[in-house]
Amino acid sequence: MAVDYTVIVVYLAGMLAMGWWGMRRARSKSEFLVAGRRLGPAMYSGTMAAIVLGGASTIGGVGLGYQYGLSGAWMVFTIGLGLLALSVFFSARIARLKVYTVSEMLDLRYGGRAGVISGVVMWAYTLMLAVTSTIAYATIFDVLFDVNRTVAIVIGGSIVVAYSTLGGMWSITLTDMVQFVVKTIGVLLLLLPIAVVKAGGFAEMKAKLPTEYFDPLGIGGETIFTYVLIYTFGMLIGQDIWQRVFTARSDRTARWGGTVAGTYCLVYAVAGAVIGTAAKVLYPELGSPDEAFATIVKDELPVGVRGLVLAAALAAVMSTSSGALIACATVANNDIWSRLRGAVRRDGEDHDEVAGNRAFILVMGLAVIGTAIALNNVVEALTLAYDLLVGGLLVPILGGLLWRRGTVQGALAAVAVGGLAVIGLMAGYGILANEPVYYGLLASLVAYVAVSLATKPTDETVLAAWRERLAGRSPELASEPVPAHQ
């Protein structure tokens, strides 16, 4: 394993070095939180694909392939569909808003007062997303170094916290671009063909497995529908995703760069399912489907290649973890803490704002590591996070973008009713049940429409300012310097 260890150690050292380099560039709030809003198409596509394809998409996607065959691709496939929908229909407008958080968008659209409560829901979602990504280090480091769970979480989490705190979004962007390349080589170009060849090719796989393993809908219609509801819609409204949209240099970059990233996700989804199916042929009696990725890597890949593929898995986890961490810290600082202390927002950007956001990343990072060590059930935590996000925030966000008659009272009612309904129904049906998000989303929609129609329409001056901002003609933006060409 010496060669494999060397590959991993060089990779981790590179991540820290990029964090240090990013610190030199992150000299303003805009540079620190959204990379100066100046990423070109190549970097934007790579980093967007990196953040949405995390440990769940890689290790979990292979596990679903092991359990269900080709239809196990649906979870990651719906993530790709969500990213495509976001990029084609909404990303250009989102990028033109020139905000830092989803809650700031809600305040602009509804005239204020929606920020704190939506910020709390978004913070809970991003925190749980960061925690579940951090827990995944335990699986990878166990294969690599045979260390216990707590040590693995501390090692992996500390590296992500270090480079994220140092350089903010610039460090995360640079590391994500490397992680995107490593994932592409490790999973698509190496592990996928090797796994298929080791399993005897597709003809041998079909001969040894039941026919339902090759049924595109074998995982079940209800499961696919739930994936669409949670992951496709979740991609449309998550702070971690929006914060990447804010980094785009232009509307065109956000639209086309995101479309490329979404298409890449669809390919990655199929690849993971095929790898999992091949693992089922090779190891039909694994104790858990989630063991499929680590087992096939450990037993079937040659020295050196094994280290690169494990680095790819590590890259997948790190990209999602760092993206969720900076999103969590941004929401905590800008949407919750600054409002609770009554801070006056300023358009000017200075070093103090960078220091404040850096401190929040450090504090949130330590909280994430501590929570990851204490938490056992990853699936329940992630389900709770996505159900709250979709049940509480999908309607007011999409309603604000699509329905002129929506009001701040309707938005607040939708967040409160949807969130409480999800939590209450989880208590009755169970956290992993589908009903909480179904009925929670319906309750949120009914509350939004009913309360919006029963209250005074949003002030026309607020809507006029909103339209100007959507068109990129806001007076507040006229004085912003034009970013340098990357």
Side-chain angles (χ1 to χ4, degrees):
M1 293 286 288
V3 176
D4 296 325
Y5 290 162
T6 301
V7 172
I8 298 296
V9 170
V10 169
Y11 168 76
L12 294 176
M15 296 299 98
L16 291 174
M18 288 186 181
W20 183 261
W21 187 88
M23 182 176 66
R24 300 169 59 191
R25 301 197 64 168
R27 300 182 182 277
S28 69
K29 180 180 179 181
S30 176
E31 295 283 350
F32 190 82
L33 294 181
V34 290
R37 307 187 194 276
R38 53 196 176 109
L39 295 192
M43 289 196 74
Y44 180 85
S45 297
T47 57
M48 181 62 87
I51 187 177
V52 300
L53 295 174
S57 300
T58 304
I59 299 170
V62 171
L64 287 172
Y66 182 88
Q67 188 173 3
Y68 298 104
L70 298 186
S71 67
W74 273 106
M75 184 187 77
V76 183
F77 204 83
T78 56
I79 290 174
L81 292 178
L83 187 51
L84 284 172
L86 174 71
S87 301
V88 172
F89 299 112
F90 300 109
S91 62
R93 283 184 284 177
I94 292 171
R96 285 195 293 265
L97 290 174
K98 294 293 189 291
V99 294
Y100 293 102
T101 68
V102 174
S103 296
E104 288 181 20
M105 167 264 169
L106 292 173
D107 277 351
L108 281 171
R109 166 60 181 83
Y110 294 112
R113 294 185 291 163
V116 174
I117 186 171
S118 62
V120 170
V121 174
M122 189 64 76
W123 174 80
Y125 157 72
T126 53
L127 178 71
M128 285 296 101
L129 185 60
V131 166
T132 53
S133 299
T134 302
I135 290 173
Y137 295 128
T139 301
I140 300 169
F141 278 93
D142 178 57
V143 175
L144 285 173
F145 306 117
D146 194 25
V147 296
N148 70 45
R149 180 179 183 275
T150 299
V151 173
I153 289 171
V154 170
I155 292 173
S158 296
I159 292 171
V160 169
V161 171
Y163 73 69
S164 301
T165 302
L166 285 172
M169 186 59 83
W170 266 122
S171 294
I172 293 171
T173 296
L174 294 170
T175 54
D176 277 1
M177 198 63 201
V178 174
Q179 289 158 358
F180 169 73
V181 173
V182 171
K183 277 192 289 193
T184 301
I185 296 173
V187 175
L188 297 185
L189 302 184
L190 292 176
L191 182 58
L192 174 61
I194 290 173
V196 173
V197 170
K198 291 284 187 179
F202 284 104
E204 187 69 15
M205 290 163 63
K206 285 186 176 181
K208 289 186 175 181
L209 294 174
T211 55
E212 56 262 28
Y213 265 72
F214 301 92
D215 179 0
L217 304 179
I219 199 170
E222 184 179 354
T223 299
I224 295 172
F225 178 74
T226 303
Y227 284 160
V228 170
L229 199 61
I230 294 177
Y231 296 114
T232 301
F233 285 118
M235 288 296 106
L236 299 180
I237 58 175
Q239 169 68 25
D240 52 324
I241 309 301
W242 277 42
Q243 200 156 342
R244 293 309 173 96
V245 176
F246 300 150
T247 66
R249 185 170 62 201
S250 65
D251 300 355
R252 184 179 179 84
T253 297
R255 182 182 293 112
W256 292 108
T259 301
V260 170
T263 304
Y264 179 90
C265 292
L266 303 183
V267 175
Y268 201 87
V270 176
V274 172
I275 293 167
T277 305
K280 184 67 175 180
V281 173
L282 294 167
Y283 312 101
E285 302 297 334
L286 288 179
S288 166
D290 286 341
E291 296 175 11
F293 180 88
T295 302
I296 197 169
V297 169
K298 192 173 184 179
D299 293 349
E300 303 297 337
L301 299 187
V303 173
V305 173
R306 179 171 49 203
L308 184 59
V309 173
L310 286 172
L314 200 56
V317 176
M318 282 186 159
S319 56
T320 299
S321 181
S322 59
L325 176 59
I326 194 171
C328 178
T330 302
V331 170
N333 188 17
N334 291 270
D335 292 337
I336 300 175
W337 174 244
S338 64
R339 295 167 191 252
L340 292 178
R341 70 176 184 173
V344 177
R345 290 186 175 276
R346 298 173 296 171
D347 290 329
E349 297 173 345
D350 54 36
H351 294 289
D352 289 337
E353 288 191 84
V354 173
N357 282 291
R358 183 174 280 133
F360 264 87
I361 290 180
L362 178 59
V363 172
M364 290 296 105
L366 294 175
V368 165
I369 293 172
T371 306
I373 292 171
L375 198 62
N376 288 319
N377 198 315
V378 180
V379 176
E380 288 191 357
L382 194 60
T383 301
L384 175 62
Y386 269 101
D387 283 6
L388 276 175
L389 176 71
V390 173
L393 290 181
L394 178 67
V395 169
I397 291 173
L398 293 189
L401 289 169
L402 300 174
W403 192 39
R404 174 188 173 90
R405 185 62 179 80
T407 67
V408 64
Q409 294 88 351
L412 289 171
V415 174
V417 171
L420 291 174
V422 166
I423 294 172
L425 289 166
M426 279 183 171
Y429 287 99
I431 292 179
L432 298 180
N434 294 328
E435 287 82 0
V437 70
Y438 293 167
Y439 299 137
L441 186 57
L442 179 61
S444 179
L445 177 61
V446 170
Y448 180 72
V449 173
V451 175
S452 292
L453 292 176
T455 52
K456 184 179 177 181
T458 304
D459 189 272
E460 185 55 41
T461 58
V462 172
L463 291 177
W466 166 253
R467 287 192 295 269
E468 288 293 298
R469 196 73 169 242
L470 277 178
R473 298 191 301 266
S474 173
E476 293 87 350
L477 303 179
S479 59
E480 285 196 3
V482 177
H485 183 80
Q486 187 176 332

